Amino acid sequence: MRFRLPRPALIAATGLAALGLLAATPAAAQAPGAAPQYTEAQVRAFLVGFYGDHGPSEKDRIYKVTEELKKKASETEEYDLLLCAQNTPDTVRIGKVTTEASAATGWAQVTPVFSGGTQSHLTAYVGLDASKPMKLSDITCDL
């Protein structure tokens, strides 16, 4: 008698995956019918457009930031959370973009540069679900 593994729908229903009886699908493999994800190049283009030379525009702050991050930014009174700084930069550099398909997140180091050469450093995160418009989802200030 041959043992046959249940179909994925049955696995979820029976909880076999939760019990650890079946290995997880590798992160690189995308399940059939899964939502498409943004690429590293698309994330880079978004961040370059979002930050521009002098930081995000008011319009971008409204339409290209998740509600959760808007709330976090509004609660940060000491500095502009989206720039991790108090002033407007002269230029903004975007570092190497990394995407993690299994976490549906992409990120890059962002470096606002101010007059006199002063810099701040932050990591900007975006969601990769290409069925939705790309938005900035979180910021980590590297203080």
Side-chain angles (χ1 to χ4, degrees):
M1 173 183 257
R2 288 178 37 194
F3 179 74
R4 295 178 58 180
L5 292 175
R7 293 188 181 132
L10 293 175
I11 292 170
T14 60
L16 292 177
L19 295 173
L21 297 175
L22 296 173
T25 305
Q30 190 170 345
Q37 293 192 340
Y38 290 111
T39 65
E40 288 178 7
Q42 290 169 314
V43 172
R44 170 171 287 291
F46 172 82
L47 291 172
V48 166
F50 181 83
Y51 280 102
D53 287 331
H54 307 291
S57 69
E58 287 305 313
K59 183 178 177 183
D60 286 347
R61 289 171 183 270
I62 293 169
Y63 296 108
K64 295 183 179 179
V65 176
T66 64
E67 293 303 316
E68 296 83 7
L69 183 55
K70 286 180 196 176
K71 183 177 186 300
K72 184 177 173 181
S74 72
E75 294 170 350
T76 305
E77 297 177 8
E78 309 82 52
Y79 55 92
D80 180 352
L81 179 65
L82 301 185
L83 291 166
C84 296
Q86 295 177 338
N87 302 316
T88 302
D90 291 337
T91 189
V92 179
R93 294 189 306 246
I94 308 298
K96 180 184 181 298
V97 172
T98 303
T99 57
E100 180 58 51
S102 63
T105 302
W107 64 89
Q109 184 176 52
V110 177
T111 306
V113 181
F114 305 91
S115 61
T118 305
Q119 301 177 1
S120 64
H121 301 281
L122 60 112
T123 304
Y125 299 87
V126 299
L128 297 180
D129 183 351
S131 69
K132 302 175 186 173
M134 191 179 303
K135 291 188 176 187
L136 195 66
S137 61
D138 202 5
I139 295 286
T140 303
C141 297
D142 303 332
L143 303 173

